[in-house]
Amino acid sequence: MADLGSDLAGELSRLDGRPYGFYKDLRGRTYGLGALRLRFEHVQGDPFAAPSRLRADIPIPGLPERACRSPEARRATADFVHRAVIRELAGARRKTGSGKSGLLEILPVGQHVLERTAVRLGQDGGLRFRLTAGLPAAGRRILGREAAALLTGRLPQALDRVLTRLDRPQLARHVQTVEDQLALRRQLSAHGLVAFVAEGSSLPRHSGAEDRPLDGAIPLEVPPALACELEAPHAGLLRGLGVRAGVTLIAGGGYHGKSTLLAALAQGVYDHIPGDGRERCVSVPGAVSIRAEDGRAVRGVDLRPFITALPLGRRTDRFDTDDASGSTSQAAAIVEALEVGATALLIDEDTAATNFMIRDARMRRLVPDDKEPITPYLDRVRQLWEERGVSSILVVGGAGDYLDVADWVIHLDEYRPHDVTARAKDIAAALPQAGPQSAGSWPPAADRLPDPRSLDPSRGRRAERVRGVKTRTIEFGTEEIEVSLLAQLVDPAQCRMIGDILLACARGLCDGRRSLTDIIELIETRVEHDGLEVLTQSGFGDRARARRFEIAAALNRLRSLRLMPQSKTMS
Ligand code: ADP
Ligand code: MG
């Protein structure tokens, strides 16, 4: 490499005592430090600013072949190394001067094994780390010796220690656990399943705010009627709860673990670390959690499958609102999820709009059908499965009408599942209710083409200002996109990636000709083909891969979004 400097320590001692701004000399430079190459991606302007971003490459880290053999193995290995770096740096937290001087950090992680930009393992076996460092200063004077100690001492030593002390058996287990989850997930469809939870899994979480497993949880037991067996390449034959394709109800008394099971199934689209309790709980990649979210904006969504003939002749084929109701928001969420390829919908009565889910005989009598705009989910759920192959997994504690439309009914009793399908059918026959009404054919949806002029990332004097805030909001220009209710958005780093993608949309990905589905497809292929970095802003170690559903969900919640006036084709 032409610009590879070898004397970073010398460079830093030359800067010693100078004003902080001289650190900028390092920007874009790469230095060789033994086996490591250190690049300054971004240099902070002062000691209190966001810390500087560094990239450290170790071309030959000496990892075992099995740790690098596939994209999935590389993702798992990178995750394992990432966690080791976190532990190593946590032990070496040191502040040496003003502001963020001397801080050395890498992105924190949770229970999921996501593709992240913080640690990347290349096909060639090379490791790339993206860290942040507070370049040391006293007041606003560069502390060159401290900087040298940090960048040519602590940093390379920490990475070296991580690699030389890497626990190889644990690494193998980490990779195997991820490979098993992938293999299980890939087998689901062939077995007619949408989800699988191995017996012994531990599903409840420590608390609503804490994703670690709950201590003392009752491990999942699976009765013969609900059991199926899947072969995992490493763990071998696994027996577990098979949630079959079609319409599944999870019934049971309050506090018997229904929502916990459904939440675990929602998380089964992701891989979990060993010891999480959900590392043998998988669901199809097209599983999408659906809920009511009143107050959100909806832009040009065809709600006709569920909502027609609103008061005052308001159109529902391109429904627009700044303030959706519970039922319209839930209807929109379903149509939007189907638009980008959902294959299973997960709905919990706790967070659903009752009038969207059911409409019982008495209400049908009181309010005539032609005065009720809502076709309840009950009337569409079978059609979704039979005509469109979309499964539903529904937590239902109260709405017995659903017994008529269910293929399978699981009863949770003190956290233990039982198959009560036959009994449910007997009860439905013995106590007939109005049941589902014929809802008519599913209206074909037109493509939605986002209007690029409606994507404005500017704020004040800044042409582009986009950032993710925890898993709560994505700030896009002057707007805050509310994403806190997306149950399958699990990591703040995913939020940041979505922010980058929205920016890429504003920069031309969205061109007025591409439909929302086209855009999502394009993003997916690009990331699949060229890696996460192609669409994220370069040099950041705090991005993680988000699913197509959550990317679309963020775009769909952008209040400023407008669609092109002409829809392309009817599909
Ligand atoms: P439901 O939706 O049926 O009302 P939840 O899923 O909300 O019930 O569970 C109620 C409580 O039981 C929660 O605090 C949850 O953490 C706990 N819980 C769920 N599953 C288990 C389990 N297998 N072992 C121990 N506690 C559990
Ligand atoms: Mg519940």
Side-chain angles (χ1 to χ4, degrees):
M1 272 183 84
D3 69 335
L4 190 64
S6 56
D7 190 17
L8 178 58
E11 185 80 29
L12 292 168
S13 88
R14 188 179 64 76
L15 295 176
D16 187 50
R18 296 205 177 194
Y20 203 84
F22 277 85
Y23 267 136
K24 291 273 182 198
D25 290 359
L26 301 171
R27 191 176 56 194
R29 308 268 311 261
T30 307
Y31 295 88
L33 300 166
L36 183 141
R37 289 210 313 252
L38 183 66
R39 179 181 153 84
F40 292 81
E41 298 270 16
H42 167 84
V43 175
Q44 65 205 101
D46 69 70
F48 298 89
S52 302
R53 297 197 302 272
L54 308 175
R55 189 179 93 187
D57 285 303
I58 301 180
I60 308 171
L63 296 166
E65 192 274 324
R66 281 160 39 122
C68 317
R69 63 185 160 196
S70 67
E72 292 82 19
R74 291 195 290 275
R75 168 165 57 90
T77 302
D79 180 83
F80 185 79
V81 173
H82 187 164
R83 290 168 198 272
V85 174
I86 290 173
R87 284 192 299 274
E88 177 70 34
L89 295 183
R93 215 168 242 265
R94 230 171 306 165
K95 219 183 114 171
T96 55
S98 48
K100 302 196 165 72
S101 290
L103 290 183
L104 187 57
E105 290 177 330
I106 195 162
L107 179 77
V109 297
Q111 297 292 107
H112 303 83
V113 182
L114 301 175
E115 191 179 339
R116 298 189 185 88
T117 56
V119 181
R120 301 290 269 163
L121 176 53
Q123 233 168 326
D124 57 0
L127 267 176
R128 169 165 289 178
F129 300 88
R130 292 191 176 90
L131 307 103
T132 57
L135 301 182
R140 290 177 193 281
R141 297 259 158 217
I142 289 177
L143 286 173
R145 290 229 320 273
E146 279 76 359
L150 173 70
L151 298 170
T152 67
R154 254 170 73 206
L155 168 60
Q157 283 158 15
L159 296 183
D160 186 58
R161 257 199 308 275
V162 162
L163 290 175
T164 50
R165 295 183 188 169
L166 213 56
D167 186 330
R168 304 234 163 183
Q170 289 297 337
L171 168 60
R173 181 166 165 244
H174 206 79
V175 173
Q176 290 173 357
T177 304
V178 168
E179 286 179 342
D180 275 352
Q181 289 172 77
L182 284 154
L184 293 174
R185 205 174 285 116
R186 284 184 185 137
Q187 291 172 57
L188 290 173
S189 301
H191 284 81
L193 300 176
V194 285
F196 173 83
V197 193
E199 63 185 343
S201 290
S202 189
L203 305 182
R205 299 295 96 191
H206 195 74
S207 76
E210 177 57 75
D211 203 31
R212 284 181 297 117
L214 175 71
D215 301 324
I218 296 167
L220 185 74
E221 287 174 24
V222 184
L226 288 171
C228 61
E229 287 181 334
L230 294 184
E231 181 82 28
H234 304 292
L237 196 64
L238 293 176
R239 184 175 178 278
L241 169 69
V243 180
R244 279 170 273 197
V247 179
T248 299
L249 301 191
I250 300 173
Y255 228 64
H256 281 252
K258 304 184 297 297
S259 297
T260 303
L261 174 59
L262 193 76
L265 300 181
Q267 296 305 312
V269 299
Y270 292 114
D271 298 324
H272 292 96
I273 56 171
D276 173 80
R278 298 168 296 185
E279 65 270 44
R280 288 173 184 171
C281 168
V282 294
S283 34
V284 288
V288 180
S289 291
I290 299 290
R291 59 168 293 161
E293 193 182 333
D294 56 304
R296 62 161 283 201
V298 176
R299 291 289 171 250
V301 176
D302 186 350
L303 296 188
R304 287 175 302 163
F306 300 107
I307 317 236
T308 47
L310 283 177
L312 309 177
R314 196 163 165 170
R315 69 190 292 188
T316 60
D317 60 331
R318 275 165 77 95
F319 183 75
D320 235 84
T321 183
D322 288 316
D323 186 9
S325 65
S327 53
T328 48
S329 64
Q330 197 172 345
I334 292 174
V335 174
E336 289 164 348
L338 297 176
E339 182 178 27
V340 286
T343 59
L345 304 178
L346 278 50
I347 303 179
D348 190 329
E349 64 178 1
D350 287 355
T351 50
T354 305
N355 61 338
F356 178 79
M357 297 304 289
I358 47 164
R359 191 162 132 67
D360 69 13
R362 287 178 173 170
M363 271 302 159
R364 287 190 204 263
R365 187 76 58 87
L366 183 69
V367 181
D369 274 352
D370 62 341
K371 286 287 175 196
E372 173 51 74
I374 301 175
T375 301
Y377 194 67
L378 181 74
D379 297 356
R380 290 285 189 196
V381 64
R382 290 232 53 87
Q383 185 180 26
L384 266 172
W385 166 236
E386 284 158 16
E387 292 176 16
R388 308 173 62 103
V390 175
S391 294
S392 293
I393 309 175
L394 307 165
V395 164
V396 174
D401 281 356
Y402 273 91
L403 298 184
D404 290 316
V405 294
D407 295 307
W408 323 102
V409 185
I410 297 170
H411 179 208
L412 274 185
D413 182 16
E414 296 182 357
Y415 316 124
R416 289 181 187 82
H418 302 275
D419 177 22
V420 294
T421 309
R423 253 192 76 216
K425 292 295 164 193
D426 289 347
I427 292 169
L431 295 173
Q433 293 180 0
Q437 308 293 302
S438 162
S441 63
W442 193 284
D447 283 342
R448 292 194 300 148
L449 278 59
D451 184 340
R453 289 163 299 186
S454 69
L455 300 175
D456 177 9
S458 73
R459 173 154 162 173
R461 272 175 306 182
R462 296 178 62 177
E464 292 178 339
R465 186 182 180 282
V466 177
R467 59 185 208 123
V469 184
K470 302 190 176 164
T471 49
R472 224 175 34 222
T473 47
I474 297 166
E475 295 178 2
F476 183 80
T478 55
E479 196 173 316
E480 284 189 4
I481 307 172
E482 162 88 40
V483 290
S484 59
L485 296 181
L486 300 176
Q488 291 163 298
L489 189 65
V490 294
D491 193 309
Q494 291 180 308
C495 244
R496 296 187 198 103
M497 182 218 178
I498 295 177
D500 290 344
I501 284 178
L502 295 180
L503 194 55
C505 286
R507 286 174 177 172
L509 205 57
C510 164
D511 60 2
R513 291 186 301 274
R514 293 191 181 114
S515 69
L516 197 138
T517 319
D518 294 338
I519 293 170
I520 297 291
E521 291 290 346
L522 197 63
I523 292 164
E524 191 122 290
T525 3
R526 281 200 193 161
V527 171
E528 204 61 59
H529 201 258
D530 298 321
L532 197 49
E533 283 85 351
V534 291
L535 287 173
T536 57
Q537 304 205 68
S538 70
F540 284 88
D542 58 359
R543 269 53 172 172
R545 184 152 181 194
R547 301 193 312 157
R548 52 167 46 215
F549 303 105
E550 283 68 42
I551 296 169
L555 195 53
N556 279 319
R557 279 160 183 73
L558 182 69
R559 288 179 182 276
S560 62
L561 183 73
R562 297 288 177 273
L563 302 181
M564 301 299 285
Q566 285 296 308
S567 52
K568 210 162 63 182
T569 46
M570 301 289 272
S571 61

